[in-house]
Each structure stands twice: as C-alpha cells, then as structure tokens.
Amino acid sequence: MKKLAWSALVFAGLVMAPAAAQAKDWQVRMLNKGSTGMMAFEPAYVAVKPGDTVTFVPVDPGHNAESVPGMFPAGAAPFKGNFGQKITVKFVKPGLYGYKCMPHAGLGMVGLVQVGAAVNRAQVQAEAARLPGLGKKRMTDLLAQVR
C-alpha cells in the first residue's frame, strides 16, 4: 500500500510539473528613449498566457509601472510599482491590462499586456480615449496590435 501511495505521489508530481514549468516571465524595460521615441516601455505590447509574469525593469531612472484605472479586467487587482524599482506582476485573469509610467503617461509612456482573449477590449478602448497627450495615441496604436 505504501508503494502505491508513493507511486501516485510521484505520478502527480510529474503531471503537474510541466504546467508549472510553462509559466514564463516577460521583461519590459522602462526607458528615457526607445524605438518609438522619448519615454517608452519596450516592448510596450506583450501577449502572455494566464499565469505568466511581466517584470518591469527601470533601465533609466525616474520611471515606474502602474495599471491605468479602468484598463484591466473586472476582478483583477491593480498594480503600482515604486519609482526606480523593478516590479513583477503575475497576470491570471484573461483580458487587456493598460499600464503607464505615472509622471510620463502624457508623454506617451504607456503599454498594454494582453492575457489570453481580449475580453475587455471595448472598456480599454473607451479608457484609452481619456489618456492625456501622446499617451492616447500610443495606446490606440497598441490596441491595433491586439489579436
């Protein structure tokens, strides 16, 4: 009986291990100057699977990453990183998550994470229209990449 229980435990571990190993950590850099211009996240758009994490890395000083109010799925928790510090966010609920650098959103420092299906696309598009300055244009361009 002990052997059977041990075998079942080993089998369960082997079955569960691939699911845990499939989670991926994506890196998004916070930059003073990127390929799209001044004040940028790179990449600004990432499509991830539920359970994946995104680590926002402050390559240049004076930046943070935080969710944009109203630009994440219902029931998902907002996030807010400290200035000049790395933050890792685990994305579980499917949908679109808009994020920004708080002081530089008007200069276009915004980004978008797509987790699975874009179930809240209409909501995020409506909120994108309220972003200040270049942030609105860049978010609209990012929404065009959504699959």
Coordinates of all heavy atoms in Angstrom, one line a residue, residues 28-33 40 42 56-63 84-85 109:
V28 N 9.9 43.9 -19.5 CA 9.6 45.1 -20.2 C 10.5 46.2 -19.6 O 10.6 46.4 -18.4 CB 8.1 45.5 -20.0 CG1 7.8 46.9 -20.5 CG2 7.2 44.5 -20.6
R29 N 11.3 46.9 -20.4 CA 12.2 47.9 -20.0 C 11.6 49.3 -20.0 O 10.8 49.6 -20.8 CB 13.4 47.9 -20.9 CG 14.2 46.6 -20.9 CD 15.3 46.5 -21.9 NE 14.8 46.7 -23.2 CZ 15.4 47.4 -24.1 NH1 16.6 47.9 -23.9 NH2 14.9 47.5 -25.3
M30 N 11.9 50.0 -18.9 CA 11.4 51.4 -18.8 C 12.6 52.3 -19.3 O 13.6 52.3 -18.6 CB 11.0 51.7 -17.4 CG 9.9 50.9 -16.8 SD 9.5 51.3 -15.1 CE 9.9 49.8 -14.3
L31 N 12.3 53.1 -20.3 CA 13.4 53.8 -21.0 C 13.1 55.3 -21.1 O 12.0 55.7 -21.4 CB 13.7 53.3 -22.4 CG 14.0 51.8 -22.4 CD1 13.9 51.3 -23.9 CD2 15.4 51.5 -21.9
N32 N 14.2 56.2 -21.1 CA 14.0 57.6 -21.4 C 13.8 57.7 -22.9 O 13.1 58.6 -23.4 CB 15.2 58.4 -21.0 CG 15.3 58.5 -19.5 OD1 14.3 58.4 -18.8 ND2 16.5 58.8 -19.0
K33 N 14.5 56.9 -23.7 CA 14.4 56.9 -25.1 C 14.3 55.5 -25.7 O 15.2 54.7 -25.4 CB 15.5 57.7 -25.8 CG 15.4 57.8 -27.3 CD 16.5 58.7 -27.9 CE 16.2 58.8 -29.4 NZ 17.2 59.6 -30.0
A40 N 9.5 55.6 -23.0 CA 8.9 54.4 -23.6 C 9.1 53.2 -22.8 O 10.1 53.1 -22.1 CB 9.5 54.2 -25.0
E42 N 9.6 49.1 -23.5 CA 10.0 48.2 -24.6 C 10.1 46.8 -24.1 O 10.9 46.6 -23.2 CB 11.3 48.7 -25.3 CG 11.0 49.9 -26.1 CD 12.1 50.2 -27.1 OE1 13.2 49.5 -27.1 OE2 12.0 51.1 -27.9
F56 N 8.8 44.6 -14.9 CA 9.0 45.9 -15.4 C 10.4 46.3 -14.9 O 10.5 46.4 -13.6 CB 7.9 46.9 -15.1 CG 6.6 46.5 -15.6 CD1 5.7 45.6 -14.9 CD2 6.2 46.9 -16.9 CE1 4.5 45.3 -15.5 CE2 5.0 46.5 -17.4 CZ 4.1 45.7 -16.7
V57 N 11.4 46.6 -15.7 CA 12.7 46.9 -15.3 C 13.1 48.3 -15.6 O 13.1 48.8 -16.7 CB 13.7 46.0 -16.0 CG1 15.1 46.2 -15.6 CG2 13.3 44.5 -15.8
P58 N 13.4 49.1 -14.6 CA 13.8 50.5 -14.8 C 15.2 50.7 -15.2 O 16.1 50.8 -14.5 CB 13.6 51.1 -13.4 CG 13.9 50.0 -12.4 CD 13.4 48.8 -13.1
V59 N 15.4 50.7 -16.6 CA 16.7 50.8 -17.1 C 17.2 52.2 -16.9 O 18.4 52.4 -16.5 CB 16.7 50.5 -18.7 CG1 18.1 50.8 -19.3 CG2 16.3 49.0 -18.9
D60 N 16.3 53.2 -17.1 CA 16.7 54.6 -16.8 C 15.9 55.0 -15.6 O 14.8 54.5 -15.3 CB 16.2 55.5 -18.0 CG 17.1 55.2 -19.3 OD1 18.3 55.0 -19.1 OD2 16.5 55.1 -20.4
P61 N 16.5 56.0 -14.8 CA 15.8 56.4 -13.5 C 14.6 57.2 -13.8 O 14.4 57.8 -14.8 CB 16.9 57.2 -12.9 CG 17.7 57.8 -14.0 CD 17.7 56.7 -15.0
G62 N 13.8 57.3 -12.7 CA 12.6 58.2 -12.7 C 11.3 57.6 -13.3 O 10.4 58.4 -13.6
H63 N 11.3 56.3 -13.4 CA 10.1 55.7 -14.0 C 9.5 54.7 -13.1 O 10.2 54.1 -12.2 CB 10.4 55.0 -15.3 CG 11.1 55.8 -16.3 ND1 10.4 56.9 -16.9 CD2 12.3 55.9 -16.9 CE1 11.1 57.5 -17.8 NE2 12.3 56.9 -17.8
G84 N 11.9 53.9 -9.9 CA 13.2 53.4 -10.0 C 13.4 52.0 -9.5 O 14.5 51.5 -9.3
Q85 N 12.3 51.3 -9.3 CA 12.3 49.9 -8.8 C 11.6 48.9 -9.7 O 10.6 49.3 -10.3 CB 11.7 49.8 -7.4 CG 12.5 50.5 -6.3 CD 12.0 50.3 -4.9 OE1 11.0 49.7 -4.7 NE2 12.7 50.9 -4.0
M109 N 4.3 57.4 -22.4 CA 4.9 56.2 -21.7 C 3.8 55.4 -21.2 O 3.4 55.4 -20.0 CB 5.9 56.6 -20.6 CG 6.8 55.5 -20.2 SD 8.2 56.1 -19.3 CE 9.0 54.5 -19.0

